[in-house]
Structures are given as structure tokens and as C-alpha cells.
Amino acid sequence: QDLYILAKWKAKDRIELDGYDASGVAHTRWQLIDPAGTVLDEGNVRGDVQPLNLLRDKGPGWLLLQQADKAGNLGVPIRVPVPNGL
């Protein structure tokens, strides 16, 4: 699953993932992946994802987002494009 962005990110832009699991959603896992497929950076966030906070001075590539349930299982990844000059 992919998400397409047609304009540059603004400082207050957010990505909201609305997930559900019987055990509850624990966090969103993110990875910044370059065009060759190498993971450049990664982490976990609770709540909304603010791309500019994660990606400043990085790119191009993909931001891979996955929600994790409280048991630690990861959901289906969503790929968000990261353009040059973010």
C-alpha cells in the first residue's frame, strides 16, 4: 500500500493512521529507506507522524510506516514518498 504526496511537506503536516487491534495499538514504527532499499533511520512514535520532524535534511527515498499492536505484531506497511530537498 502506498500513499502519494503531490506537494512539499509543511511543518505542521501530519500523517494519521487509524488502526485497530483487539489488544490495542501500541505505536507506529517508521523507517526511512533510500532508493537502493537501505534503512537509513528508524524509530517508533505514538500518535500522529510528523514527517518533517523525522526527515529533515534526508531523502530521496521512502518513509515506511507500520502500526504495531500491544503484542508486538506489525501491520501492513504503508510507503510514503520522500522527495529531495525536503
Side-chain angles (χ1 to χ4, degrees):
Q1 297 183 11
D2 297 331
L3 173 72
Y4 298 94
I5 308 300
L6 302 176
K8 288 195 174 219
W9 293 107
K10 296 177 185 157
K12 293 184 180 183
D13 286 344
R14 300 177 186 279
I15 298 173
E16 294 182 35
L17 300 179
D18 188 18
Y20 171 80
D21 185 83
S23 70
V25 175
H27 62 269
T28 299
R29 176 181 179 216
W30 63 270
Q31 292 182 310
L32 178 62
I33 301 171
D34 72 10
T38 303
V39 176
L40 302 175
D41 203 357
E42 60 188 330
N44 297 318
V45 295
R46 289 202 169 120
D48 298 346
V49 176
Q50 289 183 277
L52 281 182
N53 291 345
L54 302 175
L55 307 175
R56 199 165 303 283
D57 302 321
K58 297 179 182 173
W62 292 92
L63 177 63
L64 185 104
L65 302 172
Q66 290 178 281
Q67 288 192 319
D69 65 14
K70 291 187 178 179
N73 302 305
L74 292 172
V76 175
I78 296 174
R79 289 170 180 82
V80 181
V82 179
N84 261 337
L86 191 63

